[in-house]
């Protein structure tokens, strides 16, 4: 009973949570501002001030108005969206507080949505007095063609900076005005973006005009437009596909990206990754167990007690507990997590340093002497910690840069063969950081680390071989480093394939490699960080536009996120179908046609779930006219990878009902079976579908329906030669009968039997038995022939042996034996001295 009440309470909370964003007032959504709007407002102010300082203040009234407006806007604090963001902590207390906050907000801090939240043509809102004053000053300066004022007004209308209400049409007008007046590349990029997407109903989508504005912005050096053009030429959006143009624009972005990656401390700048799919956080587009990312080979197959099912906070708590108990592995893992960071955890270099030092002090004393000499496990973990400490001192991460201390720690870890120590020491000798510049010594350290699969060492070793002209060895190391996603390896391979070094030029490979390099430097040109923060803060409108910008640049995760946010067809039994006011979502988030566009682009970049979603949209007619054949094509394309049980099941359903394909119960069963083989979690829906299918197939059979019913899968019959028949029969006679047609040899049930069980019974001998008797007879004949041949050979050998023996006997007969007389006798003749003895002997007897 207790569990029942807890379940009901949890269900009530979930229902309240599902209605949270919809009943928020427009004032909360606009005033919340996202982190993107906040950072954009701050950046806009800094850009204007820097521009004025660089070019000098002309002292005109327009410039004075802009400065006064900026000073007023900087005093306006956009309230943080803490009202709409609650972090759910693990544990009973954290969960209780989370649901209590949600319920409090839902009951006391919300109201019905405003009209401008639902209407694509919002009414003018009354501005606060400071904001109104600042806007009037900017508009006055804009009328005098002040570019700073026009830019600020455009950004405020588009992003809603400084709590200003969004107006996308006004933003488009301001950007166009700025572009025409000054040729501002940022304005040209924004116009191209709005023409490409038609975002917010600001303008009708026009891919040709989008291409023109992006081209002008790219020629001016705008990195986002360069990347957008590269993807459009690569995918053929608004222009025919052109590999050379795509490679050219991607190379321009890749050159900037690799320059950015090589900047900073020794070893290059740390490249943060912010590009994630929102759907993956919930188990995929179709939920846990039904999507490709969480089913089949990607499913969590560990037991219920495995840490694979644990939340990240729970893992950290467990590691912290084990670290306090003295577990060095747990301590080192905590240090590495804090050093590298994760999706839900920012980097904390000082904390990482503390954990690494804690591990190192268990093995080395302050003077560097070894404490536990016989403990190999401690030595191994301590060496890894020493490698990270040496790297942090070398790069100055979380501490002051010190080549001397870095060298000390790296040499300590080197004694135990740590690959990170080997790589960092090679870097120090290669670049001469605190040691002499010695490429040969550096190469030896890189070789040792590369043998332990260190990607950085493999790349630097490849660079040294390229300098020596050994392309083959360099390519081998680059291919190894690519497995780890090293940006330098991708860049070198792109350059080699683009320039045809040592091989024929491959534009396709070069473009693919350049694209990877360009997308690695996310912080340089993408908006993922702002989009992620806005989504977590509940500002879905700002998150959507930021993800859309990334999607236009060719990021597959950005395209998938846009489609996922615009998707209104995630479930047939939705909460919105039962609660009328749940339908009231922002008009910005209601665009099925745009969702289909981004599902399509994501699918073309090998996202299988997006391909299945394309089929759903064509099947249901969401944002496009229904097209069953296209739906079947999408499902078939997704099913070819044998990873999506959803696609296979959909194909089974379409063949069962004849939707978009010819109705075929047998093929439907085959696809249902493949869906179960692909994902064992689909057992229940597949079995229910098969039960219904068998009933329909049975009815179709007894009513002589025209649909192909379920049939037993026939086994292929192999045509054997006579020697193969004999060999297989002698080895295993069962194989023949198992591979035979099950109907072969069976008497015809409909044949007329004039006398059942009578004398004619033996006339209807099974054909299979006759065939068996024939084979046995042939085998017996063959055996007889073999036996007869052996007998003939034996007889011949005996005759030859007899002849040989006779010849030998004749030879022995021709030679006299000892004591034998010339006439062949053994008695002495007369006159022989022995004759008298012989006679006497004979008489004596």
């Amino acid at each position: 009973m207790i569990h029942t009440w807890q379940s009901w309470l949890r269900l009530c909370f979930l229902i309240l949570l599902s209605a949270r964003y919809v009943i928020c007032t427009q004032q909360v959504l606009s005033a919340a501002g996202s982190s993107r709007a906040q950072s954009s407002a701050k950046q806009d102010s800094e850009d204007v001030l820097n521009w004025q300082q660089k070019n000098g203040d002309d002292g005109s009234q327009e410039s004075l108005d802009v400065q006064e407006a900026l000073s007023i806007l900087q005093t306006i604090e956009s309230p943080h969206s803490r009202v709409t963001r609650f972090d759910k902590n693990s544990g009973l207390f954290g969960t209780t507080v989370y649901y209590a906050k949600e319920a409090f907000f839902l009951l006391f801090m919300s109201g019905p949505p405003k009209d401008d939240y639902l209407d694509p043509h919002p009414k003018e809102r009354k501005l606060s007095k400071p904001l109104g004053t600042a806007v009037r000053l900017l508009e006055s300066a804009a009328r005098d063609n002040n570019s700073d004022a026009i830019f600020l007004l455009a950004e405020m209308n588009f992003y809603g900076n400084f709590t200003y209400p969004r107006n996308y049409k006004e933003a488009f007008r301001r950007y166009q005005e700025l572009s025409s007046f000054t040729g501002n590349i940022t304005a040209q990029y924004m116009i191209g973006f709005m023409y490409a997407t038609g975002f917010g109903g600001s303008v009708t989508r026009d891919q040709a005009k989008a291409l023109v504005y992006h081209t002008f912005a790219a020629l001016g050096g705008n990195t986002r437009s360069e990347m957008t053009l590269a993807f459009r030429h690569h995918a053929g959006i608004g222009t025919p596909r052109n590999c050379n143009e795509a490679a050219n624009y991607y190379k321009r972005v890749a050159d900037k990206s690799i320059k950015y990656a090589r900047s900073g401390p020794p070893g290059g700048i740390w490249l943060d990754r912010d590009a994630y799919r929102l759907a993956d956080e919930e188990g995929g587009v179709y939920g846990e167990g039904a999507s490709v990312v969480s089913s089949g080979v990607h499913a969590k197959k560990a037991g219920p007690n495995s840490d694979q099912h644990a939340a990240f906070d729970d893992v950290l708590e467990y590691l912290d507990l084990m670290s306090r108990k003295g577990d060095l592995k747990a301590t080192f893992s905590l240090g590495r997590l804090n050093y590298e960071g994760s999706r839900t955890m920012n980097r904390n270099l000082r904390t990482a340093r503390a954990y690494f030092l804690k591990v190192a002090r268990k093995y080395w004393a302050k003077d560097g002497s070894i404490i536990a000499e016989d403990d190999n496990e401690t030595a191994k973990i301590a060496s890894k910690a020493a490698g990270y400490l040496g790297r942090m001192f070398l790069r100055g991460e979380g501490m002051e840069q010190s080549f001397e201390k870095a060298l000390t720690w790296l040499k300590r870890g080197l004694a135990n063969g740590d690959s990170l120590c080997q790589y960092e020491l090679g870097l120090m000798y290669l670049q001469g950081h605190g040691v002499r510049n010695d490429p040969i010594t550096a190469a030896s350290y890189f070789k040792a680390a590369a043998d332990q699969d260190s990607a950085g060492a493999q790349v630097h070793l490849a660079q040294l071989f390229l300098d020596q002209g050994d392309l083959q060895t360099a390519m081998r190391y680059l291919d190894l480093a690519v497995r780890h996603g090293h940006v330098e390896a991708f860049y070198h391979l792109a350059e080699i394939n683009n320039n045809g070094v040592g091989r024929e030029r491959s534009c396709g490979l070069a473009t693919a490699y350049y694209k990877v390099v360009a997308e690695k430097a996310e912080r340089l040109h993408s908006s993922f960080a702002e989009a992620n923060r806005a989504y977590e803060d509940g500002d879905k409108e700002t998150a959507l536009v930021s993800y859309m910008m990334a999607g236009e640049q060719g990021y597959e995760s950005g395209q998938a996120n846009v489609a996922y946010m615009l998707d209104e067809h995630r479930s047939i039994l939705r909460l919105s179908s039962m609660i009328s006011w749940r339908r009231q979502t922002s008009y910005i988030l209601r665009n099925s046609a745009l969702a289909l566009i981004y599902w399509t682009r994501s699918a073309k970049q090998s996202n299988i779930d997006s391909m299945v979603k394309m089929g759903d949209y064509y099947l249901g007619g969401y944002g496009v006219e229904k097209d069953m054949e296209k739906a079947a094509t999408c499902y078939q394309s997704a099913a070819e990878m044998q990873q999506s049980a959803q696609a296979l099941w959909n194909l089974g359903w379409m063949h069962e009902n004849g939707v978009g394909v010819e109705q075929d119960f047998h093929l439907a069963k085959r696809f249902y079976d493949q869906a179960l083989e692909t994902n064992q979690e689909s057992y229940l829906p597949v079995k229910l579908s098969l039960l219904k299918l068998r009933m329909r197939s049975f009815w179709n059979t007894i009513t002589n329906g025209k649909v192909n019913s379920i049939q037993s899968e026939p086994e292929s019959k192999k045509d054997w030669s006579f020697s193969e028949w004999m060999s297989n029969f002698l080895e295993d006679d069962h194989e023949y009968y198992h591979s035979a047609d099950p109907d072969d040899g069976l008497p015809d049930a409909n044949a007329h039997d004039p006398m059942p069980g009578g004398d004619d019974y033996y006339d209807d001998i099974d054909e299979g038995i006759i065939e068996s008797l024939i084979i046995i007879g042939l085998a017996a004949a063959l055996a007889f022939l073999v036996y007869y041949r052996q007998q003939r050979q034996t007889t011949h050998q005996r005759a030859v042996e007899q002849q040989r023996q006779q010849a030998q006997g004749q030879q022995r007969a021709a030679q006299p034996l000892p004591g034998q007389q010339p006439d062949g006798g053994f008695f002495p003749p007369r006159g022989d001295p022995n004759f008298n003895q012989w006679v006497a002997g004979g008489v004596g007897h």
Side-chain angles (χ1 to χ4, degrees):
M1 182 62 69
I2 294 177
H3 294 290
T4 303
W5 279 108
Q6 289 180 345
S7 300
W8 276 106
L9 287 173
R10 183 178 180 84
L11 179 61
C12 292
F13 275 124
L14 290 175
I15 294 175
L16 293 175
L17 290 175
S18 63
R20 170 182 152 202
Y21 290 112
V22 235
I23 64 176
C24 294
T25 62
Q26 176 63 16
Q27 290 91 339
V28 172
L29 288 176
S30 299
S34 62
S35 21
R36 170 65 181 92
Q38 289 280 53
S39 60
S40 176
K42 182 178 179 181
Q43 186 65 38
D44 294 344
S45 303
E46 293 177 354
D47 290 344
V48 172
L49 292 174
N50 293 336
W51 174 264
Q52 292 176 346
Q53 292 175 1
K54 180 179 179 181
N55 295 275
D57 188 0
D58 56 6
S60 62
Q61 185 60 40
E62 296 83 12
S63 299
L64 294 175
D65 290 342
V66 172
Q67 288 184 354
E68 184 179 355
L70 281 175
S71 62
I72 296 174
L73 291 174
Q74 289 174 349
T75 61
I76 301 175
E77 295 183 1
S78 180
H80 193 267
S81 55
R82 59 183 181 277
V83 180
T84 60
R85 179 182 180 184
F86 303 127
D87 294 330
K88 181 179 177 181
N89 298 320
S90 58
L92 177 62
F93 179 76
T95 304
T96 304
V97 172
Y98 171 78
Y99 284 120
K101 288 182 178 179
E102 291 283 3
F104 178 80
F105 168 78
L106 186 63
L107 296 175
F108 304 107
M109 300 294 291
S110 62
K114 298 296 182 181
D115 294 335
D116 56 357
Y117 181 65
L118 307 174
D119 189 3
H121 307 287
K123 300 177 182 179
E124 292 187 4
R125 289 176 48 200
K126 185 177 180 180
L127 305 179
S128 63
K129 186 175 180 180
L131 182 60
T133 302
V135 170
R136 284 192 295 271
L137 289 171
L138 290 175
E139 289 178 345
S140 175
R143 282 192 292 269
D144 293 328
N145 294 328
N146 184 282
S147 57
D148 295 334
I150 298 173
F151 179 75
L152 282 173
L153 287 171
E155 293 282 285
M156 289 169 65
N157 278 279
F158 189 85
Y159 292 109
N161 298 337
F162 309 110
T163 72
Y164 191 79
R166 300 172 192 255
N167 189 328
Y168 296 108
K169 288 189 175 181
E170 178 65 16
F172 179 80
R173 187 181 73 83
R174 292 292 185 182
Y175 282 129
Q176 199 168 40
E177 180 183 3
L178 182 62
S179 174
S180 302
F181 180 66
T182 65
N184 185 283
I185 59 175
T186 302
Q188 291 170 346
Y189 163 75
M190 292 301 298
I191 295 173
F193 169 76
M194 297 175 87
Y195 267 125
T197 62
F199 190 80
S202 57
V203 67
T204 304
R205 286 199 304 271
D206 191 329
Q207 302 301 334
K209 290 184 178 179
L211 190 68
V212 171
Y213 278 100
H214 278 305
T215 302
F216 280 118
L219 292 175
N222 186 282
T223 307
R224 291 190 176 186
S225 285
E226 288 174 342
M227 199 164 177
T228 302
L229 280 177
F231 179 71
R232 285 178 168 263
H233 285 292
H234 180 60
I237 301 174
T239 181
R241 297 185 63 180
N242 190 325
C243 183
N244 290 325
E245 286 293 324
N248 177 40
Y249 282 111
Y250 269 130
K251 175 174 170 52
R252 293 168 64 173
V253 182
D255 289 341
K256 296 178 183 179
S257 299
I258 203 67
K259 183 179 180 181
Y260 171 75
R262 291 171 177 172
S263 64
I269 199 169
W270 183 271
L271 297 177
D272 292 303
R273 182 174 181 269
D274 297 311
Y276 298 94
R277 297 193 191 103
L278 298 175
D280 291 355
E281 301 295 322
E282 300 178 13
V285 174
Y286 292 98
E288 189 76 32
S291 307
V292 173
V293 297
S294 60
S295 63
V297 296
H298 305 287
K300 296 179 180 179
K301 299 180 180 180
N305 297 325
S306 173
D307 56 359
Q308 288 190 15
H309 303 279
F312 184 75
D313 291 340
D314 295 334
V315 174
L316 284 180
E317 185 177 352
Y318 172 76
L319 290 176
D320 182 66
L321 175 63
M322 297 303 295
S323 175
R324 294 176 185 275
K325 291 183 177 181
D327 190 333
L328 292 184
K329 286 185 178 180
T331 306
F332 175 76
S333 298
L334 285 172
R336 188 171 178 178
L337 282 173
N338 280 277
Y339 179 79
E340 297 178 353
S342 68
R343 172 71 177 87
T344 56
M345 178 179 176
N346 295 326
R347 299 181 72 196
N348 192 329
L349 298 176
R350 292 188 177 277
T351 303
R353 175 194 176 188
Y355 282 119
F356 290 142
L357 283 174
K358 184 177 180 181
V359 175
R361 287 168 181 166
K362 293 292 184 180
Y363 186 72
W364 288 291
K366 289 185 178 181
D367 57 356
S369 59
I370 299 176
I371 299 176
E373 295 184 359
D374 299 331
D375 193 346
N376 293 330
E377 188 68 22
T378 301
K380 184 177 180 180
I381 299 175
S383 298
K384 291 181 179 294
Y388 277 96
L389 287 170
R391 181 177 190 176
M392 294 174 75
F393 275 111
L394 177 63
R395 296 168 58 87
E397 295 176 323
M399 62 193 73
E400 186 179 354
Q401 190 178 40
S402 175
F403 296 147
E404 182 182 356
K405 293 181 179 179
L407 187 63
T408 300
W409 282 111
L410 293 176
K411 285 186 174 180
R412 288 181 181 179
L414 182 66
N416 293 301
D418 181 67
S419 61
L420 182 58
C421 294
Q422 294 167 345
Y423 164 67
E424 297 295 343
L425 278 172
L427 199 62
M428 293 182 71
Y429 277 100
L430 181 66
Q431 300 176 357
H433 296 304
V435 294
R436 69 183 187 281
N437 192 323
D438 189 350
I440 297 179
T441 304
S444 64
Y445 283 124
F446 288 145
K447 180 64 169 63
D451 291 341
Q452 298 189 60
D453 207 18
S454 171
Q458 290 164 350
V459 168
H460 281 87
L461 202 57
Q463 291 174 345
L464 292 174
F465 279 111
L466 285 175
D467 293 339
Q468 298 297 323
D470 190 349
L471 180 63
Q472 184 177 1
T473 306
M475 287 293 296
R476 180 165 59 88
Y477 281 110
L478 290 175
D479 290 336
L480 291 173
V482 160
R483 296 180 297 110
H484 301 281
H486 200 284
V487 62
E488 290 270 3
F490 281 108
Y491 183 75
H492 285 298
L493 288 174
E495 289 285 273
I496 290 172
N497 284 278
N498 188 43
N499 297 303
V501 179
R503 60 181 62 192
E504 186 178 354
R505 181 178 183 269
S506 176
C507 181
L509 281 177
T511 303
Y513 287 136
Y514 279 136
K515 185 176 186 292
V516 173
V517 176
E519 292 181 354
K520 287 283 186 180
E522 296 175 5
R523 294 294 176 91
L524 184 63
H525 48 66
S526 77
S527 53
F528 276 108
E530 295 86 355
N532 293 338
R533 285 196 296 267
Y535 188 82
E536 293 170 358
D537 289 341
D539 188 0
K540 293 189 176 181
E541 191 169 333
T542 300
L544 179 65
V545 69
S546 298
Y547 284 132
M548 198 173 291
M549 287 179 175
E552 287 294 309
Q553 292 172 231
Y555 283 95
E556 188 278 323
S557 52
Q559 296 164 355
N561 289 346
V562 172
Y564 182 72
M565 293 183 68
L566 294 175
D567 185 25
E568 299 182 89
H569 312 284
R570 302 182 187 177
S571 175
I572 297 178
L573 299 176
R574 300 188 301 272
L575 189 63
S576 58
S577 61
M578 296 178 284
I579 303 176
S580 59
W581 43 264
R582 179 64 179 85
R583 298 177 183 272
Q584 299 176 342
T585 56
S586 171
Y587 75 95
I588 298 294
L589 301 174
R590 302 196 306 268
N591 195 332
S592 296
L594 195 60
L596 178 59
I597 290 175
Y598 283 99
W599 284 129
T600 304
R601 294 180 184 178
S602 174
K604 287 184 177 180
Q605 298 198 65
S606 304
N607 189 319
I608 300 177
D609 282 334
S610 295
M611 181 67 73
V612 180
K613 265 295 181 180
M614 280 180 61
D616 295 345
Y617 272 58
Y618 282 115
L619 183 66
Y622 306 137
V624 69
E625 293 185 3
K626 289 186 177 181
D627 193 328
M628 304 306 172
E629 293 184 359
K630 286 186 178 180
T633 302
C634 293
Y635 294 143
Q636 184 65 46
S637 299
E640 288 176 355
M641 302 298 294
Q642 292 295 322
Q643 294 186 23
S644 175
Q646 184 71 43
L648 291 165
W649 189 93
N650 290 348
L651 281 173
W653 179 87
M654 297 184 78
H655 279 90
E656 177 184 355
N657 297 281
V659 178
V661 294
E662 183 180 357
Q663 192 173 14
D664 192 325
F665 292 154
H666 183 69
L667 279 179
K669 179 183 180 298
R670 182 177 297 176
F671 282 117
Y672 284 144
D673 290 339
Q674 289 180 357
L676 183 58
E677 292 176 1
T678 303
N679 183 10
Q680 295 298 322
E681 296 186 20
S682 63
Y683 179 85
L684 180 60
V686 167
K687 289 300 182 182
L688 292 176
S689 300
L690 285 173
L691 178 61
K692 177 172 67 71
L693 178 64
R694 289 188 180 278
M695 295 174 62
R696 295 185 64 181
S697 178
F698 173 75
W699 180 257
N700 176 73
T701 301
I702 64 176
T703 58
N704 295 323
K706 297 181 180 180
V707 183
N708 184 26
S709 298
I710 300 176
Q711 303 173 5
S712 299
E713 295 287 347
E715 295 185 5
S716 59
K717 229 178 181 182
K718 182 181 178 181
D719 296 330
W720 285 336
S721 63
F722 177 75
S723 59
E724 289 177 333
W725 271 109
M726 294 304 305
S727 176
N728 286 293
F729 176 81
L730 295 175
E731 291 177 1
D732 186 5
D733 54 349
H734 298 288
E735 184 175 347
Y736 164 71
Y737 297 109
H738 289 170
S739 63
D741 191 342
D743 293 334
D744 288 347
L746 295 178
D748 189 357
N750 298 324
H752 176 68
D753 188 357
M755 189 174 181
D759 297 334
D760 294 333
Y761 169 78
Y762 293 100
D763 295 334
D764 297 329
I765 299 177
D766 191 289
E767 293 180 0
I769 299 177
I770 295 176
E771 292 179 358
S772 301
L773 292 176
I774 292 174
I775 294 172
I776 294 173
L778 292 174
L782 180 63
F784 173 76
L785 291 174
V786 172
Y787 174 78
Y788 178 74
R789 181 178 180 180
Q790 291 177 348
Q791 291 297 321
R792 289 289 303 271
Q793 290 178 349
T794 303
T795 304
H796 178 71
Q797 290 176 356
R798 288 178 179 177
V800 172
E801 181 66 21
Q802 289 178 359
Q803 291 178 1
R804 187 178 62 80
Q805 291 178 357
Q806 290 177 0
Q808 291 178 354
Q810 292 176 357
Q811 292 177 358
R812 286 195 300 268
Q815 297 178 356
L817 297 175
Q820 188 177 9
Q821 301 299 324
D823 58 353
F826 289 89
F827 302 105
R830 291 181 182 271
D832 189 275
N834 296 324
F835 177 78
N836 296 326
Q837 296 179 0
W838 175 76
V839 172
V843 173
H845 286 282

